[in-house]
Amino acid sequence: MKGIFLNIKKFLLLLLFLGLLLYSASALKADIFYYSWEYNSLYNEKIALELELKSLKKQFKNEVSSLEARIRDLENNIDNLNNKIELLQKGRDEDNRLSERRIKELEKVRDILKRKSSDREKELINENKRLQNQCKETIDKLRDDFQKEREAHLEEIARLKEQNEKDRTKMQSLVANLSDELESIKKLTKSQRHELDRMATQANDLEKQLSVEIEKGEIRLKRLHEKIIINIDDKICFDTGRAVLKKEILHALDKISAILSDYPENRIHIEGHTDNVPISNKQFRDNWQLSTERSLAVLNYLLKNTKLDPGRFTSMGYGEYQPIVSNDTSENRALNRRVDIVVVPRLKSTK
């Protein structure tokens, strides 16, 4: 590019030189053919032209210098662009190398992930099989448990049906007894009715005085037509296998003793009862003896009240043979271990 501009410069200088030669030849020729005043005029024109030529040369020189400076700038720009292009090319080559390396790394990762995915898929399949087997085992176990529970429920239903039949028989017997009582009530004399009314009043007094113990479930009061039963739980009366009264029951027995003394016409039966679990120790040979000794322990404490007539009292031990419920559970056996204080009025015969 620089050589082309130099050739143009030389060509322009050559043209300028040829033009000056032609102009000089024209001036010499004019001296031959023109007058002096014409010559002066031409000479002046020549001077003017030379000045103009000098100005043009100077202008041309300045333009050439400007063009050369511009050419140098362009050449510098070209060199800079070439350098940038070279740098860009190097950067592109480096980027290509990095891209290729990254692609290879990603391909390796892809292959690893593919292998891991395959292994994970196998693990998931095995886990799924394991869960299926576990679910099957759980379902089988639940089915077996359900079957056992169903059989247990059927057995319980059968037991309840049997118990219900027994209870129905008892209820029929109770209804029959109540019917007999009703018939006997119809035959009661005026004095007998008065005695029964006194029994009802006595039952009310007992309920009022023993309300705390009744609420705790330690004492149960039953009202029947011809008697009142004060049922005392053995757990507040005696320790297991013993017939010595505990301190916890003494206050309640004092209340019962005071109320019984207010109704001197009644007969009092003290009844001892046990569950069906046999007892055999140095003190008691069987449940008969245990129930009897417990009945006597209550009787002896009540008779400490001198207002009570011992002739009105009877002590009995029934052992395990008069349960109020079946002895098939620990709760029921606890209910059967008891001492009953039975209050019976002295009703005169209606005959």
Side-chain angles (χ1 to χ4, degrees):
M1 189 73 176
K2 186 176 181 181
I4 293 173
F5 281 107
L6 289 174
N7 291 330
I8 293 172
K9 181 180 178 182
K10 292 178 180 179
F11 180 72
L12 292 173
L13 290 173
L14 180 59
L15 288 177
L16 181 59
F17 179 72
L18 291 175
L20 290 173
L21 289 176
L22 291 174
Y23 181 77
S24 299
S26 298
L28 291 173
K29 187 176 180 181
D31 288 341
I32 298 173
F33 294 100
Y34 294 102
Y35 294 105
S36 57
W37 59 272
E38 291 177 336
Y39 176 76
N40 290 331
S41 175
L42 291 171
Y43 181 76
N44 290 333
E45 290 179 4
K46 174 187 174 186
I47 295 300
L49 290 171
E50 288 177 350
L51 293 173
E52 185 178 358
L53 178 60
K54 186 176 181 180
S55 175
L56 290 171
K57 285 180 178 181
K58 186 176 181 181
Q59 183 178 358
F60 176 75
K61 185 177 180 181
N62 291 334
E63 290 180 357
V64 169
S65 299
S66 177
L67 287 172
E68 288 177 347
R70 180 61 178 164
I71 289 169
R72 285 194 299 273
D73 291 338
L74 290 173
E75 288 176 347
N76 291 332
N77 290 335
I78 290 170
D79 292 337
N80 291 333
L81 288 173
N82 288 331
N83 292 332
K84 289 182 179 180
I85 290 170
E86 185 177 356
L87 291 173
L88 289 173
Q89 184 65 33
K90 290 180 180 179
R92 186 183 66 181
D93 294 340
E94 182 66 22
D95 289 342
N96 289 335
R97 286 193 297 273
L98 291 174
S99 296
E100 291 176 358
R101 186 164 66 250
R102 181 60 177 164
I103 289 171
K104 290 180 180 179
E105 291 175 354
L106 290 174
E107 288 176 349
K108 290 180 180 179
V109 172
R110 182 197 61 189
D111 295 338
I112 292 172
L113 290 176
K114 187 180 293 184
R115 288 195 298 272
K116 287 186 176 180
S117 175
S118 179
D119 295 339
R120 181 58 179 164
E121 184 177 359
K122 292 179 182 178
E123 291 177 2
L124 289 174
I125 291 173
N126 293 331
E127 180 69 13
N128 184 48
K129 290 181 180 178
R130 187 186 68 79
L131 289 175
Q132 286 180 348
N133 293 331
Q134 185 177 353
C135 288
K136 185 176 180 300
E137 292 175 358
T138 302
I139 291 172
D140 292 340
K141 184 178 182 303
L142 289 174
R143 187 181 290 113
D144 294 339
D145 292 343
F146 174 76
Q147 185 65 25
K148 292 178 181 178
E149 188 175 353
R150 179 174 177 273
E151 292 175 357
H153 282 315
L154 291 175
E155 292 177 358
E156 181 66 15
I157 290 172
R159 189 188 66 79
L160 290 174
K161 285 182 178 179
E162 183 180 356
Q163 183 63 38
N164 184 57
E165 185 65 24
K166 292 180 180 179
D167 292 341
R168 189 173 66 85
T169 302
K170 288 182 179 179
M171 289 298 295
Q172 289 175 346
S173 176
L174 180 59
V175 169
N177 291 334
L178 290 175
S179 297
D180 293 340
E181 289 178 5
L182 181 61
E183 290 297 324
S184 64
I185 289 173
K186 292 179 180 179
K187 298 177 183 179
L188 290 176
T189 64
K190 184 176 181 181
S191 61
Q192 289 173 330
R193 290 180 184 276
H194 177 70
E195 185 65 24
L196 292 177
D197 290 339
R198 291 180 72 254
M199 287 288 292
T201 303
Q202 185 177 9
N204 292 333
D205 291 342
L206 286 167
E207 285 182 348
K208 183 177 180 181
Q209 292 296 324
L210 300 173
S211 60
V212 175
E213 290 80 1
I214 292 173
E215 186 176 352
K216 290 181 180 179
E218 298 172 347
I219 291 178
R220 289 170 288 277
L221 190 67
K222 299 178 183 179
R223 293 190 187 193
L224 299 177
H225 167 62
E226 80 289 0
K227 59 186 174 181
I228 301 170
I229 300 177
I230 305 169
N231 176 248
I232 305 174
D233 197 327
D234 84 315
K235 68 183 179 182
I236 65 166
C237 286
F238 307 100
D239 291 324
T240 302
R242 300 192 64 187
V244 178
L245 287 170
K246 297 167 70 173
K247 293 180 179 180
E248 291 84 351
I249 192 59
L250 300 182
H251 183 60
L253 290 178
D254 289 338
K255 294 180 183 179
I256 295 172
S257 174
I259 295 173
L260 293 178
S261 66
D262 292 336
Y263 299 88
E265 298 300 322
N266 296 331
R267 291 179 288 117
I268 314 298
H269 303 310
I270 312 297
E271 301 176 353
H273 301 271
T274 67
D275 58 24
N276 63 345
V277 179
I279 184 172
S280 179
N281 55 32
K282 294 180 180 179
Q283 188 175 2
F284 306 108
R285 63 178 178 273
D286 53 28
N287 284 333
W288 283 106
Q289 186 178 5
L290 175 62
S291 64
T292 302
E293 291 295 333
R294 286 182 171 181
S295 171
L296 287 171
V298 174
L299 173 64
N300 291 331
Y301 187 83
L302 290 177
L303 291 179
K304 288 182 179 181
N305 183 354
T306 57
K307 294 181 180 180
L308 293 174
D309 180 8
R312 296 166 51 202
F313 286 82
T314 304
S315 175
M316 294 170 283
Y318 289 96
E320 63 196 71
Y321 298 102
Q322 287 194 11
I324 54 177
V325 291
S326 61
N327 285 292
D328 52 355
T329 64
S330 59
E331 292 80 6
N332 285 354
R333 286 192 292 273
L335 291 174
N336 289 329
R337 296 191 299 269
R338 68 197 190 278
V339 174
D340 289 339
I341 301 175
V342 183
V343 182
V344 183
R346 287 183 176 178
L347 298 176
K348 295 181 180 181
S349 173
T350 58
K351 295 180 181 180

